[in-house]
Amino acid sequence: MSLTPERLHYLLTRHVIDTGHAPDYHDLSILAGCAEPDAAAALRQLESMHGVILVPNSLKVWSLHPFALMPTAFWVSTRTAGWWANCAWCSLGIAAALGEEVTISTSAGAEAEPLEFRIESGRPSRQDVLMHFPVGPSRWWDNPYCPCGNILFFTSEPAIDHWCERHGSPKGSVLDMHAGVHLAHRWFGDYASPDWRRKTPADAAAIFRELNLDPSFWLMPETFR
């Protein structure tokens, strides 16, 4: 079987789920049954379509959304394992990709107030939690860490207003937990599947319409990859 970007994504994701870390390209070539140069080329191809983020000037996997492969403010755990998530949305995304009950451990606004809740059978154990997206999809790949890392959980909208003012951050879109879990399920639900395919702008726009998200903020440009 040829090492397509989709198959590579599946192999990487399963390895991260099973072990907590990504394989290097040598081990990846063994998993895929291909030569190391082919594994390296496939990694670069997947990177070019934003299916993986590599450490600059290397073939080391830095992030495989929704999984972060370095410490973050979001820890997602099951009864037997745990993973870092890149942001609030990614933490819900890990729950969606796993299809298991998880506990999300973080803090409100990535500050001092601890915040922990569960996702059980696709439902959050707390209804008061909100998720804030400072910038819309059109800017997500300007710098994949800044927009993503600032997608945070809060316990009230005034707290979001105060946080944005204090940190000089724009106030963007605020989703309640019902919408946040639904969005994560629709976006990340197939990420651990061999049938995963990178979403097109039309796919993304359809999901945003389905959730009745504000089109002026959730604008998906045709250049989105």
Side-chain angles (χ1 to χ4, degrees):
M1 184 179 296
S2 62
L3 189 55
T4 64
E6 291 77 18
R7 176 163 169 74
L8 172 65
H9 183 274
Y10 174 70
L11 293 174
L12 287 172
T13 303
R14 286 310 320 175
H15 194 280
V16 169
I17 290 172
D18 294 340
T19 69
H21 65 273
D24 61 25
Y25 75 95
H26 168 74
D27 290 338
L28 182 59
S29 69
I30 296 173
L31 286 172
C34 68
E36 289 186 17
D38 294 332
L43 270 172
R44 290 297 187 195
Q45 186 178 4
L46 188 61
E47 179 189 38
S48 71
M49 56 189 280
H50 293 156
V52 68
I53 300 175
L54 302 179
V55 174
N57 304 312
S58 83
L59 290 170
K60 181 177 177 60
V61 178
W62 201 354
S63 176
L64 181 71
H65 286 90
F67 299 93
L69 299 176
M70 62 179 182
T72 71
F74 300 89
W75 181 247
V76 182
S77 58
T78 64
R79 291 184 178 89
T80 58
W83 305 264
W84 291 301
N86 296 283
C87 66
W89 186 27
C90 284
S91 66
L92 298 178
I94 290 177
L98 295 176
E100 297 183 38
E101 295 183 0
V102 306
T103 297
I104 296 173
S105 303
T106 183
S107 58
E111 295 180 339
E113 179 189 347
L115 180 60
E116 185 171 282
F117 58 94
R118 292 186 57 76
I119 303 296
E120 302 168 325
S121 301
R123 296 183 177 87
S125 61
R126 291 182 58 167
Q127 300 296 326
D128 61 321
V129 178
L130 302 173
M131 185 164 57
H132 176 232
F133 290 76
V135 299
S138 63
R139 293 178 52 197
W140 283 350
W141 287 103
D142 291 354
N143 175 330
Y145 279 106
C146 185
C148 184
N150 283 285
I151 301 172
L152 303 172
F153 290 120
F154 294 85
T155 53
S156 72
E157 191 144 359
I160 297 174
D161 295 334
H162 185 51
W163 187 95
C164 290
E165 180 180 359
R166 193 166 66 255
H167 294 293
S169 175
K171 184 177 181 182
S173 179
V174 179
L175 303 187
D176 62 23
M177 286 302 290
H178 173 74
V181 169
H182 191 178
L183 177 61
H185 174 74
R186 293 288 284 111
W187 196 274
F188 293 109
D190 64 346
Y191 267 50
S193 166
D195 297 325
W196 171 85
R197 297 294 182 271
R198 180 71 177 163
K199 288 176 178 60
T200 66
D203 294 333
I207 293 172
F208 301 155
R209 286 195 302 271
E210 180 182 315
L211 271 70
N212 295 315
L213 300 181
D214 181 357
S216 66
F217 180 89
W218 293 89
L219 175 66
M220 182 56 68
E222 288 299 320
T223 54
F224 178 85
R225 292 185 295 159

